[in-house]
Amino acid sequence: MLFSPAITRLVDVFRRLPGIGPKTALRLVFFVLSMEKEEVEEMARALVDAKRRVKHCARCRNLTEQDICSVCRDERRDQSLLCVVQEPRDMMVIEKTGQFKGLYFILHGALSPVEGFGPEELKIPDLLQLMKTGGVKEVIIATNPNVEGDATAFYIAGAARPLGIMVSRIGFGLPVGGDLEYADELTMTRALEGRREI
Amino acid sequence: MLFSPAITRLVDVFRRLPGIGPKTALRLVFFVLSMEKEEVEEMARALVDAKRRVKHCARCRNLTEQDICSVCRDERRDQSLLCVVQEPRDMMVIEKTGQFKGLYFILHGALSPVEGFGPEELKIPDLLQLMKTGGVKEVIIATNPNVEGDATAFYIAGAARPLGIMVSRIGFGLPVGGDLEYADELTMTRALEGRREI
């Protein structure tokens, strides 16, 4: 064996992270070993602290260190408008546009019978409760444009409509700046379906 | 601010690692937060443990948890043959060939006046001491084929020759399986210089 147990163990730990293969893991380990001891200890503390402190917002399930996150506490935001996303990073993408002034609900996943993700796992009952009692008038569903995201969108839409809530899903089509020539058939189909009068 | 301080801090910590930009760092943070608490704590411990336990072999400066590494302690290896590399990962690449049965010396860098890396920083005096007293008869220099690696190779060769040690450098040329068409001029020049009678 070429490397010591402590190195092998750290390589294994890095390999658990998404997108990190054996070569990258080894490169990261060599880098960590070249760092100052204090820096490595700070890194370890940041990991444990983040995991210990960060929890889900009791209202929207965004990641936060408080009971209710800063987005939900912001009284300037429109309480009647709710955007449903799969992951916290999706919420971030929408926030970056600066165009959405409502609140969010984060599913932390999508319906997937294969992976055993049903409505209970996604806390869809909590979402329904929020739609019933939170003064929500419009729901924008921003799940991913794939089988799981589609199924999740239809499920939520079916539950929201009887409550008299307007339900929409974000538009699909050609990405801005994209080239028609390189569009796949599914995207092109969605773009045709989503055509708007000009 | 969209994210909590503990998240921002962990993003910053991940961004210090090589090849990890802001987007990848955020993806890693979301993944860490989805891990079990025990797993995150294990990751933190692995970091601190590796940094605390792993040191440089007193002889070759390979990474090891002992005073002398397992390669240097292996009595079947040829003590008279020494391969000089820049980094521990370079040593690993050579070990993988299974062709080299001598010992190593790891410089942990290359001569670079710009970055303030002189012979002292690379512990080249230790290398010279080893060449003088360690029964070394042949040195193979396997520094990188770039300006710093070339300068380092010439410096070591100049110091080794007066000791009556045979000095060589690994061959440069076309990579096996590579295509002549895509070779750059420098590689092609080196390949021509390194031609061998068949």
Side-chain angles (χ1 to χ4, degrees):
Chain A
M1 214 200 45
L2 202 56
F3 288 120
S4 76
I7 293 183
T8 309
R9 186 167 148 238
L10 189 54
V11 168
D12 289 344
V13 155
F14 273 127
R15 285 193 59 184
R16 282 183 218 154
L17 297 173
I20 309 266
K23 280 201 175 181
T24 308
L26 197 58
R27 194 161 49 92
L28 294 179
V29 169
F30 286 140
F31 184 83
V32 165
L33 292 172
S34 75
M35 283 163 64
E36 293 299 320
K37 186 165 158 281
E38 290 69 31
E39 252 191 311
V40 177
E41 285 167 354
E42 193 203 329
M43 184 176 272
R45 264 197 312 275
L47 276 167
V48 174
D49 276 2
K51 182 64 195 172
R52 204 182 53 212
R53 288 187 195 171
V54 177
K55 50 187 177 183
H56 290 175
C57 168
R59 195 190 163 287
C60 75
R61 306 180 70 224
N62 181 20
L63 300 170
T64 176
E65 291 179 42
Q66 282 139 333
D67 290 332
I68 302 288
C69 79
S70 57
V71 174
C72 286
R73 274 186 284 115
D74 185 347
E75 291 183 358
R76 290 164 303 177
R77 300 187 78 113
D78 185 350
Q79 310 274 327
S80 72
L81 187 58
L82 190 71
C83 180
V84 179
V85 294
Q86 290 185 202
E87 303 292 344
R89 59 175 174 268
D90 302 333
M91 169 182 172
M92 201 180 62
V93 172
I94 295 171
E95 275 299 286
K96 270 192 183 159
T97 66
Q99 299 299 310
F100 181 72
K101 297 297 179 199
L103 299 177
Y104 293 89
F105 188 87
I106 292 112
L107 298 166
H108 292 277
L111 289 180
S112 171
V114 182
E115 292 182 40
F117 268 63
E120 291 290 333
E121 281 72 26
L122 301 180
K123 300 264 191 287
I124 288 183
D126 290 359
L127 170 61
L128 295 183
Q129 192 59 32
L130 185 66
M131 292 197 290
K132 274 179 198 159
T133 60
V136 176
K137 287 179 190 147
E138 184 178 351
V139 169
I140 300 172
I141 302 176
T143 53
N144 284 332
N146 56 28
V147 177
E148 290 81 13
D150 289 353
T152 311
F154 284 120
Y155 187 92
I156 294 169
R161 273 195 215 97
L163 303 172
I165 293 171
M166 202 178 93
V167 188
S168 63
R169 194 166 177 202
I170 53 164
F172 301 120
L174 287 187
V176 177
D179 217 330
L180 213 81
E181 186 180 356
Y182 304 117
D184 62 285
E185 303 99 81
L186 274 174
T187 301
M188 205 56 224
T189 305
R190 297 281 195 123
L192 286 169
E193 287 168 1
R195 68 192 180 279
R196 297 176 68 167
E197 204 172 285
I198 51 167
Chain B
M1 212 202 43
L2 200 54
F3 289 119
S4 76
I7 293 183
T8 309
R9 185 166 150 238
L10 190 53
V11 168
D12 290 345
V13 155
F14 273 127
R15 285 193 58 183
R16 283 183 217 153
L17 297 173
I20 310 267
K23 282 201 174 181
T24 307
L26 198 55
R27 195 161 48 92
L28 293 179
V29 169
F30 285 140
F31 184 83
V32 165
L33 292 173
S34 75
M35 282 163 64
E36 294 298 322
K37 186 165 159 278
E38 290 68 31
E39 252 192 312
V40 177
E41 285 167 356
E42 192 203 328
M43 184 178 270
R45 263 197 312 275
L47 276 166
V48 174
D49 276 4
K51 182 63 194 175
R52 204 182 53 209
R53 289 189 194 169
V54 176
K55 52 189 178 179
H56 289 174
C57 168
R59 194 188 164 286
C60 76
R61 305 179 74 223
N62 181 18
L63 300 170
T64 177
E65 291 179 43
Q66 282 140 332
D67 291 333
I68 301 289
C69 78
S70 57
V71 175
C72 286
R73 273 186 285 117
D74 184 348
E75 291 185 356
R76 289 163 304 176
R77 299 188 77 113
D78 186 349
Q79 310 275 327
S80 73
L81 186 58
L82 190 71
C83 180
V84 179
V85 295
Q86 288 183 204
E87 303 293 344
R89 58 176 174 268
D90 302 334
M91 170 182 171
M92 202 182 60
V93 172
I94 296 172
E95 275 299 286
K96 270 193 185 159
T97 66
Q99 299 298 310
F100 182 73
K101 297 297 179 197
L103 299 176
Y104 292 89
F105 188 88
I106 293 112
L107 298 166
H108 291 277
L111 289 179
S112 172
V114 181
E115 292 181 41
F117 267 64
E120 290 292 332
E121 280 73 26
L122 301 181
K123 300 268 191 287
I124 288 183
D126 291 358
L127 170 62
L128 296 182
Q129 192 59 33
L130 184 66
M131 292 197 289
K132 274 177 197 161
T133 60
V136 176
K137 287 177 188 151
E138 182 177 353
V139 169
I140 300 172
I141 302 176
T143 54
N144 284 333
N146 55 28
V147 176
E148 290 81 13
D150 289 352
T152 310
F154 283 121
Y155 187 93
I156 294 170
R161 270 193 217 98
L163 303 172
I165 292 171
M166 201 177 95
V167 187
S168 63
R169 195 169 178 201
I170 54 165
F172 299 121
L174 288 187
V176 178
D179 215 333
L180 213 83
E181 185 181 356
Y182 304 115
D184 62 285
E185 304 97 84
L186 274 175
T187 300
M188 204 57 225
T189 306
R190 296 281 195 120
L192 286 168
E193 286 168 2
R195 68 189 179 280
R196 297 175 69 168
E197 206 171 281
I198 52 169

